[in-house]
Amino acid sequence: MRNILLLLCVFGTPYASQAQSDKASWTNLSTLQTGQKIQIVDMNSKKHSGAFLKFSDAAIRYQDSAGDQSIPKQDVRRVKFMENRHRLRSTLIGAGVGAGVGAVIGAAANRRCSNFCVISEGDTAGIGALVGFLAGAAVGALIPTHSTIYSVNAN
């Protein structure tokens, strides 16, 4: 149990540090380039997706299938950059961690039934590693990689 908590702490640290950065600054939008795919969530939780055009002190402009759109700054709750980066890396890391954890769990499970098991410890570790590999790869592939550029709390 202690090892699992250690793994959660180690792999959760990047997400915790990312969450602590200042996302409430409207000037963060200056990191976006024209044409990049974004998602804007307004104060009514309605999502608007399209290609970033530009922003000013008063509003953000983007282009969707209906043409150029503009949303006033006071109506913007969140802006996300919608790039799917690092998907393969996250999948491989998840698969590796899952395989290791699965192997340990498989081997430990076999030790508990030492006189009753018909499968060797190596076999249960291998089966656990395979199950963990598949589960970890799925989790790694599903981890969202969209980065929040701007976010404020709703009033």
Side-chain angles (χ1 to χ4, degrees), residues 37-56:
K37 186 167 170 55
I38 61 169
Q39 179 184 70
I40 303 166
V41 179
D42 65 23
M43 290 299 181
N44 296 321
S45 297
K46 183 177 178 189
K47 296 178 181 178
H48 309 269
S49 296
F52 175 74
L53 294 175
K54 66 180 185 176
F55 79 102
S56 66

Side-chain angles (χ1 to χ4, degrees), residues 5-151:
L5 289 174
L6 177 65
L7 284 173
L8 288 174
C9 290
V10 168
F11 288 109
T13 301
Y15 298 107
S17 64
Q18 183 180 16
Q20 293 176 358
S21 63
D22 181 26
K23 301 290 185 195
S25 176
W26 186 251
T27 58
N28 289 347
L29 298 178
S30 64
T31 62
L32 294 171
Q33 296 177 358
T34 302
Q36 289 181 319
K37 186 167 170 55
I38 61 169
Q39 179 184 70
I40 303 166
V41 179
D42 65 23
M43 290 299 181
N44 296 321
S45 297
K46 183 177 178 189
K47 296 178 181 178
H48 309 269
S49 296
F52 175 74
L53 294 175
K54 66 180 185 176
F55 79 102
S56 66
D57 289 339
I60 183 170
R61 286 189 46 215
Y62 68 99
Q63 184 172 18
D64 64 7
S65 59
D68 286 5
Q69 306 292 329
S70 179
I71 300 178
K73 177 182 176 181
Q74 67 269 16
D75 293 341
V76 176
R77 177 182 292 173
R78 186 176 306 119
V79 178
K80 288 184 178 184
F81 177 44
M82 300 300 286
E83 183 180 38
N84 285 325
R85 57 184 180 183
H86 307 302
R87 178 82 56 198
L88 178 62
R89 181 187 72 180
S90 297
T91 301
L92 294 174
I93 290 171
V97 170
V101 170
V104 169
I105 291 172
N110 191 289
R111 285 193 187 139
R112 296 230 174 212
C113 65
S114 59
N115 295 332
F116 308 108
C117 292
V118 292
I119 301 175
S120 71
E121 185 176 335
D123 290 343
T124 57
I127 292 169
L130 178 62
V131 170
F133 176 87
L134 295 173
V139 169
L142 295 175
I143 291 175
T145 56
H146 308 312
S147 54
T148 300
I149 305 295
Y150 173 76
S151 180

